[in-house]
Amino acid sequence: EDPKAFWDPCCGSGTLLVEKLLLEKKIPIGRFRSFSFESWPSLDVDRYQKAKEKMENEVKEWSGLVFGSDVDAKVLEAAKFNLEKAGLMESVELFKADMSHVERSRIPTACDIVSNPPYGERLKRGKETLRAFKTWPKMNSSWRVSILLPSSQRDQGRRSLLSFRNG
């Protein structure tokens, strides 16, 4: 059974929080914007409208808990702005916290912890951050932890399900 909670401890501007909620609620990508192809003369407008309506009819409620935290209050404001813009803020709890010192009781027992922490020059305490991610599964065996890291910083002792390059 999939956990009903999701936490990004380095949420930054909230990208993973928005993506998680769009996925769980089956909200169509692009729902909140228009695309330039919509003005192309070759577009079958009726067919496109029907496809959009079908996707809108598949949108559902989701009762899971979504948490986002970060040490930087300014980026939490950016996350709040982005979540509000997407119409998803009511589904998220944001809080200011250092991810390596969050109280265990704050995070539900069944939880996916997923993060794309700042790395390289943006992360001054990189080793401390990686240590925190490694210790969490020991703190609660029900937590599933996934980190997006460049291959140069990935711990060779951990299993890598997917390798990719950014840029």
Side-chain angles (χ1 to χ4, degrees):
E1 183 178 319
D2 287 338
K4 288 292 187 183
F6 179 89
W7 175 39
D8 181 353
C10 302
C11 74
S13 62
T15 302
L16 293 178
L17 305 175
V18 170
E19 293 292 335
K20 173 66 174 176
L21 288 164
L22 291 176
L23 193 70
E24 292 295 344
K25 292 180 176 220
K26 296 191 178 220
I27 296 172
I29 302 298
R31 178 189 208 186
F32 307 107
R33 60 169 289 206
S34 60
F35 299 94
S36 60
F37 75 82
E38 293 174 328
S39 64
W40 292 356
S42 61
L43 177 68
D44 182 338
V45 176
D46 289 335
R47 186 173 175 192
Y48 179 60
Q49 256 333 103
K50 285 179 185 172
K52 283 176 62 174
E53 287 170 13
K54 181 179 185 250
M55 288 187 289
E56 282 298 323
N57 289 332
E58 292 175 3
V59 173
K60 64 177 188 165
E61 290 298 315
W62 183 66
S63 61
L65 304 170
V66 176
F67 301 90
S69 62
D70 206 289
V71 292
D72 187 337
K74 287 182 182 178
V75 298
L76 285 173
E77 284 301 315
K80 182 179 178 187
F81 174 82
N82 291 329
L83 287 156
E84 286 173 344
K85 187 175 178 183
L88 299 168
M89 187 61 217
E90 77 283 349
S91 302
V92 179
E93 179 186 332
L94 295 174
F95 58 95
K96 185 177 184 293
D98 182 329
M99 51 86 62
S100 60
H101 298 99
V102 171
E103 289 183 39
R104 229 167 58 180
S105 61
R106 181 132 200 188
I107 307 306
T109 302
C111 185
D112 281 336
I113 301 173
V114 180
S115 196
N116 182 14
Y119 43 81
E121 291 180 26
R122 296 183 301 151
L123 186 62
K124 294 179 179 139
R125 297 183 333 259
K127 289 181 182 176
E128 182 181 332
T129 301
L130 290 176
R131 249 191 316 274
F133 277 116
K134 288 178 192 177
T135 60
W136 284 342
K138 295 173 189 164
M139 291 169 60
N140 184 330
S141 62
S142 297
W143 289 348
R144 297 188 302 187
V145 180
S146 301
I147 310 181
L148 301 174
L149 288 173
S151 59
S152 63
Q153 293 189 7
R154 197 173 52 231
D155 177 11
Q156 298 305 313
R158 292 282 186 195
R159 186 173 71 148
S160 175
L161 299 177
L162 178 65
S163 292
F164 63 92
R165 285 203 291 196
N166 186 9

